[in-house]
Amino acid sequence: MRGGGLLVAGTTSDAGKSVVTAGICRWLVRQGVKVAPFKGQNMSLNSFVTREGAEIGRAQAMQAQAARVEPTALMNPVLLKPGGDRSSQVVLMGRPVGEMSARGYHGGRQRELFEPVMACLEELRTTYDAVICEGAGSPAEINLRRTDIVNMGVARAARLPVLVVGDIDRGGVFAQFFGTTALLAPEDQALVAGYLVNKFRGDVTLLEPGLDMLLGLTGRRTYGVLPYAHGLGIDEEDGLRVSLRGAVRESVTAPPLGEDLLRVAVCAVPLMSNFTDVDALAAEPGVVVRFVDRPEELADADLVVVPGTRGTVRALAWLRERGLAAALARRAAEGRPVLGVCGGFQVLGERIEDDVESRAGLVDGLGLLPVRVRFASEKTLARPSGTALGEPVEGYEIHHGVAEVTGGEPFLDGCRVGAVWGTHWHGSLESDAFRRAFLREVAAQAGRRFVPAPDTAFGALREEQLDRLGDLVEEHADTGALWKLIEHGPPAGLPFVPPGAP
Protein backbone atom coordinates (compact mmCIF):
# COMPACT_ATOMS: atom_id res chain seq x y z
CA MET A 1 0.00 0.00 0.00
CA ARG A 2 1.28 3.45 -0.89
CA GLY A 3 -0.25 6.84 -0.27
CA GLY A 4 -2.90 6.01 2.32
CA GLY A 5 -3.91 8.84 4.58
CA LEU A 6 -6.04 10.28 7.35
CA LEU A 7 -6.76 13.80 8.58
CA VAL A 8 -7.03 14.25 12.34
CA ALA A 9 -9.29 17.24 13.00
CA GLY A 10 -10.47 18.62 16.33
CA THR A 11 -13.64 20.12 17.73
CA THR A 12 -11.51 22.90 19.25
CA SER A 13 -7.94 24.07 19.52
CA ASP A 14 -5.99 21.93 22.00
CA ALA A 15 -8.46 19.05 21.68
CA GLY A 16 -5.47 16.72 21.32
CA LYS A 17 -4.88 16.66 17.56
CA SER A 18 -1.10 16.84 17.86
CA VAL A 19 -0.74 14.02 20.35
CA VAL A 20 -3.32 11.81 18.63
CA THR A 21 -1.49 12.29 15.32
CA ALA A 22 1.78 11.38 17.02
CA GLY A 23 0.17 8.36 18.68
CA ILE A 24 -1.21 7.07 15.38
CA CYS A 25 2.21 7.57 13.76
CA ARG A 26 3.94 5.61 16.54
CA TRP A 27 1.32 2.83 16.40
CA LEU A 28 1.71 2.52 12.62
CA VAL A 29 5.50 2.49 12.56
CA ARG A 30 5.50 -0.26 15.18
CA GLN A 31 3.37 -2.28 12.73
CA GLY A 32 6.04 -1.88 10.07
CA VAL A 33 4.22 0.89 8.17
CA LYS A 34 6.35 3.65 6.63
CA VAL A 35 4.47 6.72 7.86
CA ALA A 36 4.94 10.49 7.87
CA PRO A 37 3.11 13.36 9.61
CA PHE A 38 1.80 16.43 7.78
CA LYS A 39 0.24 19.75 8.72
CA GLY A 40 -0.41 22.14 5.85
CA GLN A 41 -0.48 25.26 8.00
CA ASN A 42 0.61 25.63 11.59
CA MET A 43 0.41 28.69 13.84
CA SER A 44 2.97 28.36 16.59
CA LEU A 45 5.88 30.03 18.35
CA ASN A 46 7.39 26.63 19.10
CA SER A 47 9.46 25.75 16.07
CA PHE A 48 12.37 23.54 15.07
CA VAL A 49 15.14 23.54 12.47
CA THR A 50 15.45 20.50 10.20
CA ARG A 51 18.72 19.03 8.96
CA GLU A 52 18.39 20.97 5.72
CA GLY A 53 18.00 24.24 7.64
CA ALA A 54 14.22 24.68 7.32
CA GLU A 55 12.00 26.01 10.10
CA ILE A 56 8.89 23.95 10.88
CA GLY A 57 6.49 23.62 13.79
CA ARG A 58 8.01 21.73 16.71
CA ALA A 59 4.88 19.58 16.95
CA GLN A 60 5.57 18.23 13.45
CA ALA A 61 9.18 17.52 14.42
CA MET A 62 7.85 15.58 17.42
CA GLN A 63 5.41 13.68 15.18
CA ALA A 64 8.26 12.82 12.80
CA GLN A 65 10.16 11.40 15.76
CA ALA A 66 7.06 9.38 16.61
CA ALA A 67 7.10 8.06 13.04
CA ARG A 68 10.88 7.44 13.30
CA VAL A 69 11.66 9.58 10.27
CA GLU A 70 13.72 12.71 9.80
CA PRO A 71 11.55 15.88 9.87
CA THR A 72 11.50 17.95 6.67
CA ALA A 73 9.82 21.11 5.42
CA LEU A 74 7.38 18.92 3.43
CA MET A 75 5.71 18.01 6.71
CA ASN A 76 4.79 21.61 7.57
CA PRO A 77 4.99 23.79 4.45
CA VAL A 78 3.34 26.87 6.03
CA LEU A 79 4.22 28.10 9.51
CA LEU A 80 2.71 31.27 10.98
CA LYS A 81 4.64 32.87 13.86
CA PRO A 82 2.52 35.48 15.65
CA GLY A 83 4.23 38.78 16.32
CA GLY A 84 1.25 40.47 17.92
CA ASP A 85 -2.51 40.33 18.03
CA ARG A 86 -2.99 41.05 14.33
CA SER A 87 0.10 39.99 12.41
CA SER A 88 2.34 36.96 11.89
CA GLN A 89 5.54 36.08 10.13
CA VAL A 90 4.76 33.72 7.25
CA VAL A 91 7.28 30.89 6.87
CA LEU A 92 6.96 28.99 3.58
CA MET A 93 8.90 25.75 3.06
CA GLY A 94 11.05 26.57 6.05
CA ARG A 95 11.95 30.16 5.08
CA PRO A 96 10.32 33.45 6.14
CA VAL A 97 8.61 35.27 3.27
CA GLY A 98 7.28 38.29 5.14
CA GLU A 99 4.95 39.67 7.79
CA MET A 100 1.22 39.73 7.15
CA SER A 101 -1.90 40.82 8.96
CA ALA A 102 -4.63 38.27 9.61
CA ARG A 103 -6.94 40.17 7.27
CA GLY A 104 -4.36 40.21 4.50
CA TYR A 105 -3.52 36.55 4.94
CA HIS A 106 -7.08 35.25 4.97
CA GLY A 107 -8.06 37.82 2.36
CA GLY A 108 -6.13 36.12 -0.41
CA ARG A 109 -2.57 35.14 0.44
CA GLN A 110 -3.63 31.95 2.21
CA ARG A 111 -5.43 30.61 -0.85
CA GLU A 112 -2.31 31.24 -2.97
CA LEU A 113 -0.48 28.78 -0.72
CA PHE A 114 -2.95 25.95 -1.35
CA GLU A 115 -1.09 24.63 -4.38
CA PRO A 116 2.33 24.32 -2.68
CA VAL A 117 0.66 22.79 0.39
CA MET A 118 -1.02 20.11 -1.72
CA ALA A 119 2.19 19.51 -3.68
CA CYS A 120 3.99 18.73 -0.41
CA LEU A 121 1.24 16.34 0.67
CA GLU A 122 1.27 14.55 -2.66
CA GLU A 123 5.06 14.18 -2.54
CA LEU A 124 4.81 12.60 0.90
CA ARG A 125 2.04 10.28 -0.27
CA THR A 126 4.19 9.00 -3.14
CA THR A 127 7.04 8.27 -0.70
CA TYR A 128 5.27 6.84 2.35
CA ASP A 129 2.77 4.06 2.92
CA ALA A 130 0.62 6.44 4.96
CA VAL A 131 0.51 10.14 5.77
CA ILE A 132 -1.27 11.20 8.97
CA CYS A 133 -2.37 14.82 8.59
CA GLU A 134 -3.23 17.16 11.42
CA GLY A 135 -5.84 19.88 11.09
CA ALA A 136 -5.86 23.24 12.86
CA GLY A 137 -8.40 24.69 15.25
CA SER A 138 -11.76 23.33 14.15
CA PRO A 139 -12.90 22.32 10.64
CA ALA A 140 -16.24 24.03 11.41
CA GLU A 141 -14.78 27.55 11.40
CA ILE A 142 -17.16 28.40 8.58
CA ASN A 143 -15.92 32.00 8.30
CA LEU A 144 -12.55 30.64 7.14
CA ARG A 145 -13.70 27.69 5.01
CA ARG A 146 -13.33 29.48 1.66
CA THR A 147 -9.57 29.89 2.09
CA ASP A 148 -8.90 26.76 4.15
CA ILE A 149 -5.59 25.01 3.44
CA VAL A 150 -5.31 22.82 6.53
CA ASN A 151 -8.67 21.23 7.39
CA MET A 152 -11.49 20.27 5.02
CA GLY A 153 -9.86 22.05 2.08
CA VAL A 154 -7.00 19.56 2.25
CA ALA A 155 -9.28 16.61 3.03
CA ARG A 156 -11.56 17.32 0.08
CA ALA A 157 -8.73 17.90 -2.40
CA ALA A 158 -6.90 14.73 -1.34
CA ARG A 159 -10.03 12.65 -0.63
CA LEU A 160 -8.86 11.98 2.93
CA PRO A 161 -11.08 10.46 5.60
CA VAL A 162 -11.43 12.74 8.63
CA LEU A 163 -11.32 11.67 12.27
CA VAL A 164 -12.65 14.36 14.63
CA VAL A 165 -11.04 14.47 18.09
CA GLY A 166 -12.86 15.96 21.09
CA ASP A 167 -11.57 16.72 24.60
CA ILE A 168 -14.18 15.28 26.97
CA ASP A 169 -12.30 16.61 30.01
CA ARG A 170 -13.56 20.09 29.11
CA GLY A 171 -17.16 18.94 28.87
CA GLY A 172 -19.68 19.24 26.05
CA VAL A 173 -17.98 16.77 23.74
CA PHE A 174 -21.21 15.29 22.29
CA ALA A 175 -22.49 18.74 21.32
CA GLN A 176 -19.07 19.48 19.84
CA PHE A 177 -19.05 16.35 17.70
CA PHE A 178 -22.60 16.89 16.48
CA GLY A 179 -22.20 20.62 15.89
CA THR A 180 -18.88 20.24 14.09
CA THR A 181 -20.42 17.76 11.67
CA ALA A 182 -23.68 19.69 11.18
CA LEU A 183 -21.86 22.92 10.27
CA LEU A 184 -20.00 21.35 7.35
CA ALA A 185 -21.11 21.38 3.74
CA PRO A 186 -22.43 18.06 2.37
CA GLU A 187 -19.23 17.48 0.37
CA ASP A 188 -17.17 17.93 3.54
CA GLN A 189 -19.49 15.85 5.71
CA ALA A 190 -19.03 12.97 3.30
CA LEU A 191 -15.39 12.78 4.45
CA VAL A 192 -16.04 12.87 8.21
CA ALA A 193 -15.78 9.19 9.08
CA GLY A 194 -16.30 9.50 12.82
CA TYR A 195 -14.98 10.58 16.18
CA LEU A 196 -12.32 9.94 18.80
CA VAL A 197 -12.90 10.87 22.44
CA ASN A 198 -9.79 12.19 24.19
CA LYS A 199 -8.90 12.60 27.91
CA PHE A 200 -11.70 10.47 29.40
CA ARG A 201 -11.66 9.79 33.15
CA GLY A 202 -13.70 6.96 34.60
CA ASP A 203 -15.66 3.91 33.49
CA VAL A 204 -16.05 3.89 29.71
CA THR A 205 -19.26 1.85 29.95
CA LEU A 206 -20.94 4.95 31.38
CA LEU A 207 -20.09 6.77 28.15
CA GLU A 208 -21.44 4.15 25.79
CA PRO A 209 -25.12 5.28 25.79
CA GLY A 210 -23.99 8.71 24.62
CA LEU A 211 -21.80 7.20 21.90
CA ASP A 212 -24.75 5.11 20.72
CA MET A 213 -26.97 8.21 20.60
CA LEU A 214 -24.26 10.08 18.66
CA LEU A 215 -24.16 7.26 16.13
CA GLY A 216 -27.93 7.45 15.75
CA LEU A 217 -27.88 11.23 15.31
CA THR A 218 -24.98 11.44 12.86
CA GLY A 219 -24.61 7.97 11.36
CA ARG A 220 -20.96 8.05 12.39
CA ARG A 221 -19.21 5.77 14.84
CA THR A 222 -16.66 6.57 17.53
CA TYR A 223 -13.28 4.98 16.81
CA GLY A 224 -12.00 5.01 20.37
CA VAL A 225 -12.02 6.55 23.84
CA LEU A 226 -8.54 7.54 24.99
CA PRO A 227 -8.08 7.82 28.76
CA TYR A 228 -6.62 10.90 30.44
CA ALA A 229 -2.85 10.41 30.62
CA HIS A 230 -0.75 12.46 33.04
CA GLY A 231 2.72 13.78 32.41
CA LEU A 232 3.12 13.03 28.72
CA GLY A 233 5.40 16.05 28.31
CA ILE A 234 4.92 16.20 24.54
CA ASP A 235 5.77 19.36 22.58
CA GLU A 236 2.85 21.69 22.01
CA GLU A 237 2.05 24.28 19.39
CA ASP A 238 0.22 27.17 20.87
CA GLY A 239 0.82 27.62 24.54
CA LEU A 240 1.38 26.23 27.99
CA ARG A 241 -0.69 23.29 29.12
CA VAL A 242 -0.59 24.66 32.63
CA SER A 243 -0.95 28.07 34.21
CA LEU A 244 2.07 30.33 34.47
CA ARG A 245 2.69 29.24 38.02
CA GLY A 246 2.17 25.55 37.33
CA ALA A 247 4.92 22.97 37.05
CA VAL A 248 6.28 22.44 33.57
CA ARG A 249 4.61 19.64 31.61
CA GLU A 250 2.63 18.42 34.62
CA SER A 251 5.87 16.67 35.56
CA VAL A 252 6.19 14.75 38.81
CA THR A 253 9.47 15.76 40.42
CA ALA A 254 11.52 12.73 41.38
CA PRO A 255 13.45 12.88 44.67
CA PRO A 256 16.85 14.57 44.41
CA LEU A 257 20.04 12.52 44.58
CA GLY A 258 21.69 15.14 46.77
CA GLU A 259 20.34 16.86 49.86
CA ASP A 260 18.69 19.80 48.04
CA LEU A 261 16.20 20.45 45.28
CA LEU A 262 17.14 22.86 42.51
CA ARG A 263 14.49 25.48 41.75
CA VAL A 264 14.27 26.97 38.26
CA ALA A 265 12.11 30.02 37.47
CA VAL A 266 11.30 30.78 33.82
CA CYS A 267 10.24 34.36 33.05
CA ALA A 268 6.97 34.09 31.11
CA VAL A 269 7.82 36.85 28.63
CA PRO A 270 5.31 37.97 25.98
CA LEU A 271 5.34 35.98 22.72
CA MET A 272 7.41 33.32 24.45
CA SER A 273 8.86 30.87 21.94
CA ASN A 274 10.44 27.44 22.30
CA PHE A 275 9.67 27.21 26.00
CA THR A 276 10.27 23.49 25.43
CA ASP A 277 13.95 24.33 26.07
CA VAL A 278 13.32 23.82 29.79
CA ASP A 279 11.65 20.42 29.44
CA ALA A 280 15.01 18.70 29.80
CA LEU A 281 15.55 20.48 33.12
CA ALA A 282 12.13 19.37 34.35
CA ALA A 283 13.03 15.78 33.49
CA GLU A 284 15.90 15.81 36.00
CA PRO A 285 15.21 14.26 39.43
CA GLY A 286 15.15 16.99 42.04
CA VAL A 287 14.71 19.89 39.60
CA VAL A 288 11.50 21.93 39.92
CA VAL A 289 10.69 24.22 36.97
CA ARG A 290 8.02 26.91 37.13
CA PHE A 291 6.90 29.81 34.94
CA VAL A 292 6.76 33.15 36.77
CA ASP A 293 5.74 36.72 36.04
CA ARG A 294 6.51 38.59 39.31
CA PRO A 295 9.88 39.64 40.76
CA GLU A 296 9.18 38.14 44.18
CA GLU A 297 8.94 34.73 42.51
CA LEU A 298 12.64 34.93 41.65
CA ALA A 299 13.70 35.22 45.28
CA ASP A 300 14.02 31.50 46.04
CA ALA A 301 15.03 30.44 42.53
CA ASP A 302 18.44 28.84 42.11
CA LEU A 303 18.37 29.52 38.36
CA VAL A 304 16.34 32.04 36.39
CA VAL A 305 15.81 31.40 32.69
CA VAL A 306 14.86 34.19 30.29
CA PRO A 307 13.51 32.17 27.33
CA GLY A 308 13.15 32.87 23.64
CA THR A 309 10.56 35.30 22.35
CA ARG A 310 9.18 36.47 19.02
CA GLY A 311 9.20 40.04 20.44
CA THR A 312 12.59 40.81 21.99
CA VAL A 313 12.03 44.55 22.49
CA ARG A 314 8.50 43.96 23.76
CA ALA A 315 9.82 41.34 26.22
CA LEU A 316 12.48 43.78 27.40
CA ALA A 317 9.85 46.43 28.13
CA TRP A 318 7.71 43.83 29.92
CA LEU A 319 10.60 42.78 32.15
CA ARG A 320 11.14 46.42 33.13
CA GLU A 321 7.46 47.16 33.70
CA ARG A 322 7.08 44.09 35.92
CA GLY A 323 10.16 44.80 38.01
CA LEU A 324 11.77 41.61 36.77
CA ALA A 325 14.60 43.50 35.04
CA ALA A 326 15.70 45.00 38.36
CA ALA A 327 15.45 41.59 40.03
CA LEU A 328 17.64 40.06 37.31
CA ALA A 329 20.22 42.82 37.77
CA ARG A 330 20.31 42.16 41.52
CA ARG A 331 20.81 38.45 40.90
CA ALA A 332 23.71 39.13 38.55
CA ALA A 333 25.35 41.47 41.08
CA GLU A 334 24.99 38.81 43.78
CA GLY A 335 26.48 36.08 41.58
CA ARG A 336 23.22 34.11 41.37
CA PRO A 337 22.65 32.12 38.14
CA VAL A 338 20.75 33.51 35.14
CA LEU A 339 20.47 31.88 31.70
CA GLY A 340 19.24 33.75 28.62
CA VAL A 341 18.27 31.75 25.52
CA CYS A 342 17.87 33.36 22.08
CA GLY A 343 15.63 36.42 22.65
CA GLY A 344 16.37 36.05 26.36
CA PHE A 345 20.08 36.21 25.56
CA GLN A 346 19.52 39.35 23.52
CA VAL A 347 17.71 41.23 26.32
CA LEU A 348 20.61 40.51 28.69
CA GLY A 349 23.00 42.40 26.39
CA GLU A 350 24.02 46.05 26.35
CA ARG A 351 21.95 47.26 23.44
CA ILE A 352 19.60 46.11 20.68
CA GLU A 353 19.32 47.69 17.25
CA ASP A 354 16.03 46.51 15.81
CA ASP A 355 14.72 47.84 12.51
CA VAL A 356 13.24 44.45 11.56
CA GLU A 357 11.09 42.86 14.26
CA SER A 358 9.77 45.75 16.36
CA ARG A 359 11.26 48.58 14.25
CA ALA A 360 12.08 50.31 17.55
CA GLY A 361 15.57 51.29 16.47
CA LEU A 362 18.27 51.46 19.16
CA VAL A 363 17.17 50.20 22.58
CA ASP A 364 19.20 49.70 25.74
CA GLY A 365 19.36 46.12 26.99
CA LEU A 366 19.75 45.04 30.61
CA GLY A 367 23.53 45.31 30.38
CA LEU A 368 24.26 42.01 32.13
CA LEU A 369 26.34 40.62 29.26
CA PRO A 370 28.90 42.36 26.95
CA VAL A 371 26.80 41.82 23.84
CA ARG A 372 25.41 44.12 21.16
CA VAL A 373 22.60 42.83 18.98
CA ARG A 374 21.63 44.02 15.53
CA PHE A 375 18.55 42.58 13.86
CA ALA A 376 19.14 41.38 10.28
CA SER A 377 16.43 40.92 7.67
CA GLU A 378 17.76 37.42 6.94
CA LYS A 379 16.81 34.87 9.61
CA THR A 380 19.52 32.60 11.00
CA LEU A 381 18.44 28.95 10.83
CA ALA A 382 21.13 26.51 11.89
CA ARG A 383 21.88 23.21 13.68
CA PRO A 384 25.15 23.95 15.53
CA SER A 385 27.19 21.52 17.60
CA GLY A 386 30.28 21.92 19.74
CA THR A 387 31.69 21.58 23.23
CA ALA A 388 30.88 23.52 26.39
CA LEU A 389 31.78 22.94 30.02
CA GLY A 390 33.95 20.10 28.74
CA GLU A 391 31.02 18.18 27.24
CA PRO A 392 29.59 17.71 23.72
CA VAL A 393 26.44 19.68 22.99
CA GLU A 394 24.03 20.19 20.07
CA GLY A 395 21.28 22.74 19.48
CA TYR A 396 19.40 24.72 16.87
CA GLU A 397 19.17 28.43 16.10
CA ILE A 398 16.16 30.50 14.95
CA HIS A 399 16.70 34.26 15.18
CA HIS A 400 17.01 37.57 13.33
CA GLY A 401 19.30 39.11 15.94
CA VAL A 402 23.03 39.00 15.21
CA ALA A 403 25.11 39.14 18.40
CA GLU A 404 28.46 40.91 18.64
CA VAL A 405 30.13 39.51 21.77
CA THR A 406 32.76 41.93 23.11
CA GLY A 407 33.87 40.15 26.29
CA GLY A 408 33.24 37.43 28.85
CA GLU A 409 33.96 33.75 28.48
CA PRO A 410 32.76 31.92 25.33
CA PHE A 411 29.59 29.88 25.84
CA LEU A 412 27.73 28.17 22.97
CA ASP A 413 28.53 31.00 20.52
CA GLY A 414 27.34 33.43 23.20
CA CYS A 415 29.12 34.30 26.41
CA ARG A 416 29.25 34.01 30.16
CA VAL A 417 30.07 36.60 32.79
CA GLY A 418 30.13 35.27 36.32
CA ALA A 419 26.82 33.52 36.94
CA VAL A 420 25.11 34.95 33.84
CA TRP A 421 25.05 32.82 30.69
CA GLY A 422 23.65 33.70 27.27
CA THR A 423 23.29 31.76 24.02
CA HIS A 424 21.24 31.68 20.83
CA TRP A 425 21.18 27.87 20.94
CA HIS A 426 17.81 26.26 21.58
CA GLY A 427 17.74 22.64 22.71
CA SER A 428 21.23 22.57 24.21
CA LEU A 429 19.94 21.25 27.52
CA GLU A 430 18.75 18.08 25.78
CA SER A 431 22.45 17.05 25.55
CA ASP A 432 22.65 14.92 28.69
CA ALA A 433 26.30 15.30 29.72
CA PHE A 434 26.27 19.05 29.07
CA ARG A 435 23.03 19.48 31.03
CA ARG A 436 24.54 17.68 34.01
CA ALA A 437 27.69 19.81 33.88
CA PHE A 438 25.60 23.00 33.64
CA LEU A 439 23.43 21.97 36.61
CA ARG A 440 26.52 21.22 38.69
CA GLU A 441 27.77 24.76 38.01
CA VAL A 442 24.36 26.25 38.85
CA ALA A 443 24.16 24.26 42.10
CA ALA A 444 27.66 25.35 43.12
CA GLN A 445 26.93 29.03 42.46
CA ALA A 446 23.53 28.80 44.15
CA GLY A 447 25.04 27.11 47.20
CA ARG A 448 22.79 24.06 46.83
CA ARG A 449 23.80 20.51 47.67
CA PHE A 450 22.17 19.24 44.52
CA VAL A 451 23.59 16.31 42.54
CA PRO A 452 22.46 15.68 38.92
CA ALA A 453 21.34 12.13 38.25
CA PRO A 454 24.05 10.29 36.32
CA ASP A 455 21.68 8.32 34.13
CA THR A 456 18.90 10.71 33.01
CA ALA A 457 18.69 10.34 29.22
CA PHE A 458 16.31 12.92 27.80
CA GLY A 459 16.12 11.25 24.38
CA ALA A 460 15.15 7.94 25.97
CA LEU A 461 12.50 9.67 28.08
CA ARG A 462 11.06 11.26 24.95
CA GLU A 463 10.93 7.85 23.27
CA GLU A 464 9.10 6.43 26.28
CA GLN A 465 6.55 9.26 26.05
CA LEU A 466 6.00 8.61 22.35
CA ASP A 467 5.59 4.90 23.03
CA ARG A 468 2.95 5.78 25.64
CA LEU A 469 1.04 7.67 22.93
CA GLY A 470 1.30 4.66 20.64
CA ASP A 471 0.05 2.45 23.48
CA LEU A 472 -2.97 4.70 24.04
CA VAL A 473 -3.99 4.34 20.39
CA GLU A 474 -3.26 0.61 20.24
CA GLU A 475 -5.09 -0.22 23.48
CA HIS A 476 -8.04 2.17 23.37
CA ALA A 477 -8.85 2.78 19.68
CA ASP A 478 -10.30 0.41 17.11
CA THR A 479 -7.06 0.09 15.19
CA GLY A 480 -8.52 -2.32 12.64
CA ALA A 481 -11.17 0.23 11.70
CA LEU A 482 -8.59 3.03 11.68
CA TRP A 483 -6.41 1.05 9.30
CA LYS A 484 -9.36 0.57 6.94
CA LEU A 485 -9.88 4.35 6.90
CA ILE A 486 -6.21 5.00 6.17
CA GLU A 487 -6.08 2.40 3.42
CA HIS A 488 -9.48 2.76 1.76
CA GLY A 489 -10.72 6.26 2.61
CA PRO A 490 -14.03 7.42 4.11
CA PRO A 491 -16.90 4.91 4.33
CA ALA A 492 -19.49 5.16 1.57
CA GLY A 493 -22.98 6.39 2.29
CA LEU A 494 -22.31 8.62 5.31
CA PRO A 495 -25.55 10.53 5.97
CA PHE A 496 -25.91 14.31 5.76
CA VAL A 497 -26.50 16.03 9.10
CA PRO A 498 -28.52 19.25 8.66
CA PRO A 499 -28.29 22.17 8.41
CA GLY A 500 -24.82 22.05 6.81
CA ALA A 501 -22.74 25.08 5.92
CA PRO A 502 -24.34 27.93 3.94
Side-chain angles (χ1 to χ4, degrees):
M1 193 265 288
R2 183 72 81 190
L6 175 71
L7 188 137
V8 178
T11 58
T12 62
S13 294
D14 203 29
K17 298 183 294 293
S18 295
V19 294
V20 168
T21 299
I24 293 174
C25 285
R26 179 50 59 102
W27 159 63
L28 285 172
V29 76
R30 293 194 307 205
Q31 309 309 308
V33 178
K34 186 180 179 184
V35 59
F38 176 79
K39 185 163 185 172
Q41 172 193 289
N42 195 346
M43 177 173 280
S44 178
L45 288 172
N46 277 346
S47 58
F48 182 76
V49 179
T50 67
R51 293 284 180 198
E52 72 268 31
E55 184 180 9
I56 66 171
R58 190 165 173 107
Q60 278 61 66
M62 173 270 293
Q63 291 161 356
Q65 185 178 351
R68 296 179 180 152
V69 296
E70 190 68 32
T72 73
L74 292 173
M75 298 172 184
N76 180 208
V78 179
L79 173 64
L80 305 179
K81 303 194 72 175
D85 294 336
R86 298 187 178 183
S87 68
S88 294
Q89 183 180 67
V90 181
V91 179
L92 176 62
M93 293 303 295
R95 296 287 173 181
V97 294
E99 296 278 340
M100 188 162 290
S101 68
R103 180 183 293 273
Y105 183 70
H106 291 289
R109 176 61 169 162
Q110 183 182 33
R111 194 63 190 176
E112 295 173 9
L113 299 174
F114 185 70
E115 186 173 334
V117 164
M118 293 308 301
C120 290
L121 176 56
E122 289 308 307
E123 185 170 344
L124 289 174
R125 294 185 79 182
T126 61
T127 307
Y128 291 88
D129 299 332
V131 179
I132 307 303
C133 307
E134 180 188 347
S138 163
E141 291 166 349
I142 55 179
N143 56 313
L144 303 177
R145 176 61 183 91
R146 182 179 59 86
T147 57
D148 172 43
I149 64 171
V150 64
N151 288 308
M152 301 311 300
V154 169
R156 196 190 295 190
R159 298 300 302 168
L160 291 174
V162 177
L163 183 70
V164 181
V165 177
D167 179 357
I168 197 170
D169 194 53
R170 295 181 173 186
V173 76
F174 293 115
Q176 293 170 19
F177 284 144
F178 181 86
T180 297
T181 307
L183 281 177
L184 299 178
E187 297 84 355
D188 290 343
Q189 286 195 25
L191 302 174
V192 176
Y195 314 108
L196 186 76
V197 176
N198 191 29
K199 298 184 183 178
F200 179 70
R201 306 174 192 249
D203 184 350
V204 73
T205 60
L206 299 177
L207 195 63
E208 289 172 355
L211 301 180
D212 291 340
M213 290 179 64
L214 185 66
L215 173 63
L217 289 167
T218 68
R220 289 159 174 85
R221 57 165 298 180
T222 298
Y223 284 77
V225 179
L226 305 187
Y228 194 104
H230 290 275
L232 285 172
I234 296 299
D235 298 342
E236 299 176 86
E237 293 179 357
D238 304 321
L240 302 176
R241 179 181 295 122
V242 293
S243 69
L244 291 182
R245 296 182 182 83
V248 173
R249 295 287 174 271
E250 302 171 340
S251 57
V252 177
T253 305
L257 269 68
E259 297 179 44
D260 290 337
L261 292 170
L262 204 66
R263 294 171 174 82
V264 179
V266 184
C267 296
V269 297
L271 298 174
M272 181 166 40
S273 62
N274 289 75
F275 53 79
T276 48
D277 284 333
V278 299
D279 281 359
L281 294 179
E284 284 284 348
V287 176
V288 179
V289 181
R290 299 178 72 84
F291 288 90
V292 304
D293 60 357
R294 298 181 299 190
E296 56 267 29
E297 294 173 303
L298 305 189
D300 66 347
D302 302 306
L303 169 67
V304 174
V305 178
V306 188
T309 172
R310 173 81 166 87
T312 300
V313 171
R314 179 175 168 183
L316 183 58
W318 181 86
L319 289 168
R320 286 181 168 133
E321 290 165 2
R322 290 270 178 165
L324 287 160
L328 289 169
R330 286 193 297 272
R331 287 186 67 90
E334 295 166 0
R336 303 177 66 199
V338 176
L339 171 65
V341 180
C342 200
F345 166 43
Q346 294 167 8
V347 305
L348 298 180
E350 297 169 347
R351 71 181 191 191
I352 299 168
E353 185 179 347
D354 181 10
D355 294 318
V356 175
E357 190 176 78
S358 68
R359 304 185 189 279
L362 194 61
V363 178
D364 288 335
L366 300 186
L368 305 185
L369 290 174
V371 176
R372 297 172 181 176
V373 177
R374 178 185 56 82
F375 274 64
S377 57
E378 187 76 13
K379 180 184 282 190
T380 296
L381 297 169
R383 290 279 294 268
S385 61
T387 302
L389 304 180
E391 302 291 351
V393 57
E394 297 180 349
Y396 58 99
E397 294 184 59
I398 307 169
H399 54 91
H400 283 278
V402 178
E404 178 190 359
V405 179
T406 60
E409 301 175 42
F411 176 73
L412 300 180
D413 291 340
C415 68
R416 170 188 179 180
V417 174
V420 181
W421 291 267
T423 178
H424 272 134
W425 291 23
H426 294 289
S428 64
L429 294 168
E430 295 180 17
S431 298
D432 297 326
F434 165 75
R435 181 180 64 256
R436 287 191 279 270
F438 177 71
L439 289 175
R440 280 192 291 269
E441 291 243 4
V442 167
Q445 292 185 317
R448 294 289 185 187
R449 290 169 293 184
F450 167 84
V451 179
D455 55 355
T456 302
F458 186 74
L461 290 172
R462 176 54 53 89
E463 278 296 304
E464 290 175 12
Q465 291 164 337
L466 293 171
D467 274 332
R468 286 181 63 196
L469 289 181
D471 293 343
L472 286 175
V473 171
E474 190 166 343
E475 296 169 10
H476 300 281
D478 187 338
T479 52
L482 279 179
W483 178 246
K484 287 181 182 178
L485 285 183
I486 294 167
E487 190 172 19
H488 300 297
L494 291 168
F496 172 69
V497 180

